Amino acid sequence: MTQYLAAPATGTATATGTPATGDRPGWWRDAVIYQVYPRSFADGNGDGMGDLAGIRSRLPYLAGLGVDAVWLSPFYASPQADAGYDVADYRAIDPMFGDLHDADALIRDAHDLGLRIIVDLVPNHSSDQHEWFQRALREGPGSPLRDRYHFRPGKGEHGEEPPNDWESIFGGPAWTRTKNPDGSHGEWYLHLFAPEQPDFNWNNQAVRDEFRSVLRFWLDMGVDGFRIDVAHGLVKADGLPDMGHGEQLKLLGNQVLPFFDQDGVHEIYRSWRKILEEYGGDRIGVAEAWTPSAERTALYLRPDELHQAFNFHYLNAEWDAAGLRQVIDESLDSMRPVGAATTWVLSNHDVVRHLTRLGGSADRARAATLLMLALPGSAYVYQGEELGLPEVLDLPDEVRQDPSFFKNNGQDGMRDGCRVPIPWTAEGPSYGFGTGGSWLPQPEQWAGLSIESQTGDPGSTLELYRRTLAVRRDHPDLGAGDAVEWLDAPEGVLAFRRGAFTCTVNTNAEPVELATVPGQALLSSGDYDGSGALPADTTVWWTA
Ligand code: GLC
């Protein structure tokens, strides 16, 4: 076994002997959760596409990295019109990723290593190849099966215009016209994303029953929780009113829209919470909820709803001390009334990798990570960020697969650049991703960023993540609580206390002299030399 696969000395403990947070009640409150994007993590059968066998074989790496849980993006049976977020069968694995035996083995191995498994649930829409949608199409207008989706006659004399003015997040109208079984023009159906992703009608009882059953299916398989895709979108405003045309909408911004963040969604999560509790063992629901404000996000996390929500307000923050302080305070303040743990995230499969997004500097990306991991609550790490991978900006058009790339408005269409398979070794056909190629080309420079290349190099980003996660585990007070104590700091510097720790972040492009050195430097994201001067774009953790 190569060195990068080495597991910690005991399955559920780090090298220093601290139990994984996964063993503790309320484990999610300060958990570090690692996102695996199955296509791009590890390829077990050499076909150039990641799969469950590949993930399973590399679980020891994740246990050794020191994360508490793994969130897997969708692996269900899917035509892959949106990289698996178009599900044709919620109870089957896509053959490209393996089968249910592989899923079972993966979950068991993860648990043996002290890792929790969170799967992605996609309840806002199915694939257009889902049996329900295909039957609804076949049966034609008036069929009760059509009520499981949003079918509507078109506007205009011949029904040639969409039923309302809603736009797809991927660009273009959110409606597609069907053909009747006899070939004539038929009704339209709603899809907030690609046309291959028809939206479910959550006012239909069969839809509600089906998803409760799907939840149970995966809970019976042993999963520890669900990341809920488009959790804010399930319920649409009564009558599907127009959204009103304005300037180009930023659909993932903070507008109030008739198809997002409707109050009716909460009832659904209350019913799901009951199921999660029935199963015991601290299983969690995590909302992907784009809402107009942190206060609206907190509503999903009331004690009888979900456990966590991604903090997109934090992800969107710029590298600016005052702005970061504000979003940190707002995030913590908004969660306190509902008693939920705040989460922090810098990268995922939908956004430009944070190294590139924050300006392209590896120093800054590492400083941002060390700040995130010093904050109270739970943090999400996206595969490859621990290697300091940049966004791949020069993918040729012909290899791109992101459906939004093929539209000329809507989401930026550049999501393939963060989905390039990660490098494991310095050599080999796909840098150890698998024995074959890679479904998206990997830049040559990634050889030097591979897990193999960085392992054992104390100056590497990977070793920084390993050290930081080990310190976090050894000092549970770092992730605990719901507040930070801000300290006076020079312009462009954040300084705060967390229990016995102090964290200082210099967001300036120049070194800054600290008036007082806060203690003994424990970890530094850059080349801190022990003097009073904090280097540019550097975070340091101190102990008293
Ligand atoms: C979420 C997913 C994204 C997907 C969309 C539609 O935003 O994270 O990847 O395209 O939902 O399912």
Side-chain angles (χ1 to χ4, degrees):
M1 195 183 266
T2 36
Q3 198 190 354
Y4 60 80
L5 293 180
T10 61
T12 55
T14 61
T16 49
T18 311
T21 59
D23 294 343
R24 290 193 271 113
W27 64 274
W28 72 87
R29 292 192 156 270
D30 59 356
V32 177
I33 301 177
Y34 185 99
Q35 181 186 358
V36 163
Y37 194 63
R39 309 176 137 234
S40 307
F41 186 67
D43 170 15
N45 63 2
D47 66 355
M49 182 60 74
D51 49 39
L52 297 187
I55 300 168
R56 186 179 166 211
S57 72
R58 315 254 168 132
L59 287 173
Y61 163 74
L62 296 177
L65 181 60
V67 299
D68 303 295
V70 178
W71 148 36
L72 300 163
S73 281
F75 45 59
Y76 312 105
S78 161
Q80 306 290 322
D82 184 20
Y85 282 96
D86 48 321
V87 180
D89 183 346
Y90 290 86
R91 298 179 184 80
I93 309 291
D94 196 280
M96 134 182 153
F97 294 129
D99 59 23
L100 282 173
H101 294 290
D102 296 316
D104 178 58
L106 170 57
I107 295 165
R108 283 175 199 276
D109 280 9
H111 287 166
D112 286 347
L113 288 166
L115 294 167
R116 301 235 177 192
I117 292 284
I118 294 171
V119 293
D120 216 309
L121 187 73
V122 190
N124 180 66
H125 44 263
S126 69
S127 159
D128 63 345
Q129 299 307 308
H130 190 285
E131 190 201 337
W132 282 13
F133 190 73
Q134 286 298 314
R135 281 173 58 196
L137 281 181
R138 278 200 302 276
E139 294 203 3
S143 157
L145 292 184
R146 289 213 167 186
D147 188 53
R148 294 175 180 177
Y149 294 90
H150 294 280
F151 283 91
R152 293 283 186 285
K155 284 187 177 161
E157 205 182 331
H158 306 289
E160 68 279 13
E161 288 167 28
N164 70 20
D165 67 357
W166 294 4
E167 290 169 18
S168 152
I169 280 84
F170 291 160
W175 295 89
T176 290
R177 196 168 194 187
T178 62
K179 286 231 183 320
N180 289 322
D182 65 6
S184 59
H185 283 308
E187 291 181 323
W188 297 70
Y189 68 88
L190 176 69
H191 52 86
L192 291 182
F193 293 87
E196 296 87 351
Q197 294 168 295
D199 280 51
F200 281 117
N201 171 16
W202 275 84
N203 290 328
N204 181 290
Q205 195 55 41
V207 172
R208 293 190 179 226
D209 292 347
E210 170 66 357
F211 274 92
R212 281 197 291 261
S213 156
V214 169
L215 280 180
R216 288 181 191 283
F217 179 88
W218 288 101
L219 289 166
D220 288 338
M221 287 280 291
V223 304
D224 302 288
F226 300 90
R227 177 260 187 193
I228 299 153
D229 190 61
V230 197
H232 54 306
L234 276 47
V235 171
K236 277 70 180 175
D238 280 346
L240 311 185
D242 281 346
M243 67 186 205
H245 277 292
E247 60 201 62
Q248 170 74 41
L249 272 180
K250 272 218 182 125
L251 294 174
L252 300 181
N254 53 5
Q255 286 90 349
V256 174
L257 294 162
F259 44 80
F260 278 166
D261 195 32
Q262 300 291 307
D263 289 336
V265 293
H266 296 290
E267 184 188 325
I268 298 167
Y269 301 128
R270 281 194 283 272
S271 88
W272 290 8
R273 176 65 173 249
K274 290 196 185 109
I275 296 176
L276 293 172
E277 306 234 312
E278 240 177 66
Y279 276 79
D282 259 352
R283 320 235 190 166
I284 66 166
V286 183
E288 185 215 19
W290 294 86
T291 71
S293 66
E295 287 71 29
R296 290 293 301 180
T297 302
L299 297 178
Y300 292 74
L301 307 176
R302 287 175 283 194
D304 58 351
E305 294 195 37
L306 301 172
H307 298 76
Q308 289 189 343
F310 294 105
N311 188 347
F312 294 123
H313 305 286
Y314 185 70
L315 185 148
N316 283 331
E318 291 181 7
W319 188 241
D320 159 70
L324 283 165
R325 178 170 169 164
Q326 190 182 344
V327 72
I328 291 168
D329 279 340
E330 281 171 8
S331 303
L332 293 166
D333 290 348
S334 64
M335 291 300 140
R336 228 170 269 125
V338 293
T342 307
T343 66
W344 313 100
V345 61
L346 291 167
S347 287
N348 67 31
H349 67 294
D350 287 330
V351 298
V352 171
R353 282 186 176 277
H354 75 267
L355 186 147
T356 305
R357 199 181 64 240
L358 296 177
S361 132
D363 288 348
R364 194 178 276 182
R366 289 156 55 114
T369 297
L370 229 59
L371 163 60
M372 170 174 88
L373 292 172
L375 295 170
S378 171
Y380 281 80
V381 170
Y382 175 53
Q383 65 177 41
E385 72 170 73
E386 79 277 23
L387 307 178
L389 294 188
E391 183 81 0
V392 180
L393 296 169
D394 57 357
L395 288 171
D397 289 359
E398 60 274 16
V399 302
R400 289 185 179 277
Q401 298 203 9
D402 178 1
S404 53
F405 177 74
F406 303 99
K407 302 278 180 183
N408 51 13
N409 59 5
Q411 206 169 54
D412 64 16
M414 303 310 276
R415 297 183 301 168
D416 290 312
C418 63
R419 298 175 176 181
V420 174
I422 63 170
W424 291 78
T425 54
E427 288 174 14
S430 53
Y431 302 115
F433 165 63
T435 53
S438 150
W439 69 278
L440 283 175
Q442 300 155 298
E444 271 172 33
Q445 302 86 307
W446 283 22
L449 293 175
S450 70
I451 291 158
E452 182 184 53
S453 307
Q454 297 195 41
T455 294
D457 171 359
S460 70
T461 301
L462 176 57
E463 292 298 352
L464 177 69
Y465 270 74
R466 285 183 171 140
R467 277 198 305 281
T468 307
L469 294 175
V471 171
R472 217 181 127 105
R473 278 196 175 188
D474 282 347
H475 300 277
D477 48 331
L478 261 168
D482 62 5
V484 298
E485 182 189 344
W486 294 108
L487 306 172
D488 286 341
E491 181 86 22
V493 174
L494 292 171
F496 57 92
R497 226 186 327 254
R498 303 269 313 114
F501 290 86
T502 300
C503 176
T504 52
V505 186
N506 181 11
T507 65
N508 296 298
E510 307 295 329
V512 166
E513 199 70 35
L514 294 174
T516 46
V517 175
Q520 207 184 329
L522 178 71
L523 271 180
S524 165
S525 65
D527 294 328
Y528 174 66
D529 62 2
S531 72
L534 207 52
D537 286 333
T538 299
T539 298
V540 180
W541 289 10
W542 314 78
T543 47

